[in-house]
Amino acid sequence: MSKKEKKNTASSADTHPAADTKEKEYSTLNLGPTHPATHGIFQNVLKMDGEIIHDAVSTIGYIHRAFEKLAERRPYAQITTLTDRMNYCSSPINNMGWHMTVEKLIKAELPKRAEYMRVIIMELSRIADHIICNTIIGQDTGATTGFLYLFQWREKIYDIFEDICGARLTTNIGRIGGFDRDFPAKTWDKIRAFVKEYPKAFTEFSNLLERNKIFMDRTIMCGPISGERALEYSFTGPNLRAAGVDYDVRVMNPYSSYQDFDFIVPVGTQGDTYDRFMVRQEEMWQSLRIIEQALKNMPDGATHANIPDFFLPPKEEVYNNMEALIYHFKIVMGETDVPKGEVYHCVEGGNGELGFYLISDGGRTPFRLHFRRPCFIYYQAYPEMIKGGMLSDAILTMSSMNVIAGELDA
Amino acid sequence: MSQELLDKVNQKLHEHFHGSIEQAELLYDYPVFTVNKEKIHDVLKFLKEDADLNFHFLTDLTGMQTADEKHLGAIYHLHNMQKNTRIRVKTFFPMIHPEIPTATDLWPAANWMERETYDFYGIKFVGHPNLVRILNVDEMDIFPLRKEYPLEDQTRQDKSDKMFGR
């Protein structure tokens, strides 16, 4: 690449202090699109001054799959599979968020048991999501052990999902209106066993990194962002809380009976990699607490709402009952009438406020569906956060922000 | 709660922007305001900077096309985190002249959201520092979320499948 091209690639005004009158020469570095250290398809064109990042430009959209357009052609029940593929590290949260959006639109009331079951699933997937993020931070600082050690616990969570819905990663879990059936008995045992046994392994992982001098020196003040700046950039989730703002959708706008649970919202102070790591660590403990409470206070009763227009009837009913057959046919063919309306529903996803803005014109498919994807919104602050730092800090900052390519590009 | 918020914001907006607030309604417990496009930037600035309302957080910004396929709209979701109040602000304008002022001077977060909206609906945000496509390829010559472009083969002329509705 010639010098002239180099200048064009890295953009924006040169704000470097002009200590020497001679124009400084920068080199351009393409980080990505498929770099093993970025754990996904991200391209950043970096303008480097030696090993210091002077400027950066992010290019995104490499795995854009037109979900919003696809959603305009699909009946409501079929959109759940699209939400799976956004933040694929915690698909069940996305699924539940979508179900709740539709339930808000059709004004369905869920029984407590279904809501508590949802809470368990969502908190399990939050743990799975944070396991990936935090162990990868360890991996990127050179501590492979924690990564391999905790990943088997993520497998155990996926075993639980597999029992419930048959899939591990892209789960399509639950239905509009609740669950298709209660969890199998052995799954309840698995959940209980997980809550009981995970803390031991997790404590070992925490001991490995939390007060480790090497790890702390490596991560403290690496890619920091202030609370004010984070709010201006519309940060949400652990990244915002690490910067010291105690905003959590579960507390501010409780959904799915989160108001029944007792948990704290951990916050950091500096918004750097270490704070983001620590906030996620503590959130995993809080998720465990929530699951314990949900298991303890699990009410009896139905596992789905009484909405025959949207919830598939049991098969023996379909074969023997005229109404059930009609409902079955209408739901499967996507001929159910939905009310006209506009709803915005948000849930606390693994990365922050995951919003669904749905406009229905009463047709079989949404008129307009927009996903508020937290990654997409906060990733635009990334160039600002890595400016002035080292190249290796940029890698660490990205993994601690937990940027998921699927969610970024929709 | 929501009704009170709607009344309060509505009153304040009417005091400051007489005649520019086209509609104020409550949709599924969410206060929604439709604002004339000429005043949209001033209204957003007022909502953000008014000490009492203090909608300091831009939750979401997106676009839409109206059912008559003649107008485009921009939709802003604003949030006041201290009081935990949320509102939605909408503005509509004809498709032949889809230009509205940018909100990047109010929220840096609007940068990519506006680029995304431009990418999919062709809404030009006047004053945006770098209004280029973000998710789609640069060579794309259509705005894919507009209803006039079908899901598949948007620009192909040789394929017309009446039976299955391409």
Side-chain angles (χ1 to χ4, degrees), chain A residues 305-321:
Chain A
N306 185 16
I307 39 166
D309 279 324
F310 294 90
F311 193 88
L312 279 176
K315 283 290 167 293
E316 57 270 29
E317 286 283 305
V318 176
Y319 293 137
N320 298 312
N321 183 327

Side-chain angles (χ1 to χ4, degrees), chain A residues 290-306:
Chain A
I290 296 172
I291 299 171
E292 272 172 10
Q293 292 170 47
L295 285 172
K296 201 174 122 207
N297 305 325
M298 178 61 69
D300 289 329
T303 56
H304 63 85
N306 185 16

Side-chain angles (χ1 to χ4, degrees), chain A residues 257-278:
Chain A
S257 294
Y258 266 111
Q259 67 277 12
D260 297 359
F261 298 95
D262 178 28
F263 61 100
I264 58 167
V265 178
V267 289
T269 48
Q270 306 187 97
D272 56 8
T273 299
Y274 185 69
D275 279 2
R276 285 191 282 272
F277 174 82
M278 289 305 284

Side-chain angles (χ1 to χ4, degrees), chain A residues 206-279:
Chain A
S206 307
N207 293 342
L208 193 67
L209 291 179
E210 273 180 11
R211 304 300 294 170
N212 182 326
K213 178 96 169 67
I214 302 166
F215 181 75
M216 287 170 79
D217 283 352
R218 184 74 188 80
T219 51
I220 287 174
M221 287 319 277
C222 167
I225 190 162
S226 70
E228 291 82 20
R229 203 68 189 141
L231 281 172
E232 281 175 358
Y233 270 116
S234 291
F235 272 47
T236 43
N239 294 343
L240 179 65
R241 290 191 283 274
V245 184
D246 60 341
Y247 173 66
D248 189 320
V249 185
R250 290 175 293 174
V251 181
M252 295 277 260
N253 298 80
Y255 51 90
S256 195
S257 294
Y258 266 111
Q259 67 277 12
D260 297 359
F261 298 95
D262 178 28
F263 61 100
I264 58 167
V265 178
V267 289
T269 48
Q270 306 187 97
D272 56 8
T273 299
Y274 185 69
D275 279 2
R276 285 191 282 272
F277 174 82
M278 289 305 284
V279 163

Side-chain angles (χ1 to χ4, degrees), chain A residues 112-178:
Chain A
K112 275 274 172 193
R113 185 176 177 85
E115 292 197 328
Y116 276 45
M117 282 160 73
R118 278 187 174 176
V119 167
I120 291 178
I121 294 299
M122 284 192 280
E123 293 308 319
L124 281 175
S125 29
R126 195 180 317 283
I127 293 174
D129 189 284
H130 288 353
I131 284 179
I132 297 175
C133 181
N134 275 1
T135 55
I136 293 273
I137 295 174
Q139 166 91 2
D140 287 347
T141 52
T144 319
T145 318
F147 175 71
L148 295 172
Y149 189 52
L150 272 199
F151 244 51
Q152 64 168 325
W153 291 90
R154 176 172 166 268
E155 289 301 301
K156 286 186 201 289
I157 296 177
Y158 280 8
D159 284 344
I160 295 169
F161 294 161
E162 196 178 9
D163 279 359
I164 296 165
C165 66
R168 297 167 73 83
L169 193 70
T170 49
T171 48
N172 194 15
I173 205 165
R175 298 281 182 272
I176 294 167

Side-chain angles (χ1 to χ4, degrees), chain A residues 105 234 252 342 368 372, chain B residues 28 58-59 63 84 88 90:
Chain A
L105 180 74
S234 291
M252 295 277 260
E342 262 185 54
R368 170 87 175 101
R372 185 215 189 262
Chain B
Y28 281 83
L58 179 70
T59 303
N84 195 20
R88 185 182 301 148
K90 291 183 187 175

